[in-house]
Amino acid sequence: EVQLVESGGGLVQPGRSLKLSCAASGFTFSNYYMAWVRQAPKKGLEWVATISTSGSRTYYPDSVKGRFTISRDNAKSSLYLQMNSLKSEDTATYYCARQPAFFDYWGQGVMVTVSS
Amino acid sequence: DIQMTQSPASLSASLGETVTIECRASEDIYSNLAWYQQKPGNSPQLLIYDANSLADGVPSRFSGSGSGTQYSLKINSLQSEDVASYFCQQYNNYPWTFGGGTKLELK
């Protein structure tokens, strides 16, 4: 059974940093692109970052480019999202997702609140 | 960026009714479209991919269709467990983008 479990969320002040983690199990992690998708409270879904199988290629929308960094450790079947210079508009639930093309499995999500 | 426009934004329907949700892309996405269901308090789940392929474990009352820029999700014989928000998403071009969502409620 595919499982994705996020951790690392919480309350953080504007301008500070936070790192999210996602522990994957139930599939061969190194064979899949992985992604982060977020959802602001009562809002829709926004893709945040994608990483290739080896980690050599990463992709970001303009809204987070230069502030967020996605990475992975295939030996640990883990995905990460380093978030720097956080803004109030980054407040959201962050989901880890497997991405063969579409997002076929999602974690339960972790809440990040950016507020002073 | 490809804009995804969903309609309606909200929908109220009765048990047993057939429901259709539309999704329009700002350019041709060549059927590289997925639909997701998000029940209240839960994470999204994949329903449909490649515009019309049912994901594993999804009931056959769900179906997807469309091509080019116009796509739809149909739910036959609406059940109470179908109360949820539904999102379309294109994966033809980076950046990958979602529709604004449709909130489905029971009448």
Side-chain angles (χ1 to χ4, degrees):
Chain A
E1 178 195 6
V2 172
Q3 283 200 317
L4 299 168
V5 180
E6 302 93 337
S7 60
L11 175 63
V12 61
Q13 293 179 329
R16 304 298 291 265
S17 300
L18 199 64
K19 186 173 184 177
L20 305 182
S21 300
C22 171
S25 61
F27 65 102
T28 304
F29 182 74
S30 58
N31 286 353
Y32 289 86
Y33 276 47
M34 296 295 295
W36 291 95
V37 178
R38 69 184 179 184
Q39 185 172 35
K42 304 294 186 185
K43 298 294 185 182
L45 300 167
E46 180 187 18
W47 164 71
V48 169
T50 290
I51 189 167
S52 63
T53 53
S54 66
S56 61
R57 291 185 299 275
T58 56
Y59 307 84
Y60 307 93
D62 288 345
S63 58
V64 308
K65 196 175 294 183
R67 299 189 299 122
F68 288 12
T69 302
I70 188 172
S71 61
R72 65 191 297 161
D73 184 336
N74 285 342
K76 294 183 177 179
S77 295
S78 292
L79 180 71
Y80 307 100
L81 184 68
Q82 176 68 45
M83 303 184 293
N84 298 333
S85 303
L86 282 161
K87 306 175 182 180
S88 58
E89 52 262 43
D90 296 319
T91 293
T93 296
Y94 286 73
Y95 296 101
C96 165
R98 196 175 77 168
Q99 189 183 6
F102 38 85
F103 305 104
D104 65 348
Y105 287 94
W106 300 61
Q108 86 286 353
V110 63
M111 185 68 200
V112 173
T113 302
V114 184
S115 175
S116 54
Chain B
D1 297 6
I2 296 177
Q3 307 303 315
M4 304 300 292
T5 304
Q6 261 185 260
S7 60
S10 62
L11 180 57
S12 183
S14 302
L15 291 175
E17 195 174 329
T18 294
V19 168
T20 300
I21 298 169
E22 307 284 347
C23 183
R24 185 181 79 249
S26 59
E27 61 185 78
D28 195 329
I29 57 171
Y30 303 96
S31 296
N32 291 309
L33 182 103
W35 289 96
Y36 303 90
Q37 176 193 63
Q38 185 177 31
K39 295 182 180 181
N42 288 357
S43 55
Q45 289 195 314
L46 178 67
L47 285 178
I48 301 280
Y49 62 95
D50 294 347
N52 59 17
S53 296
L54 213 59
D56 289 345
V58 175
S60 58
R61 63 179 180 277
F62 290 90
S63 63
S65 64
S67 63
T69 62
Q70 301 275 3
Y71 299 87
S72 61
L73 171 71
K74 188 163 80 169
I75 310 172
N76 286 317
S77 188
L78 188 69
Q79 305 295 304
S80 57
E81 59 263 33
D82 301 333
V83 168
S85 291
Y86 293 84
F87 298 90
C88 62
Q89 179 242 331
Q90 67 82 20
Y91 48 94
N92 189 66
N93 279 3
Y94 156 80
W96 300 283
T97 46
F98 291 87
T102 296
K103 187 173 183 180
L104 175 59
E105 298 175 325
L106 282 179
K107 193 179 291 182

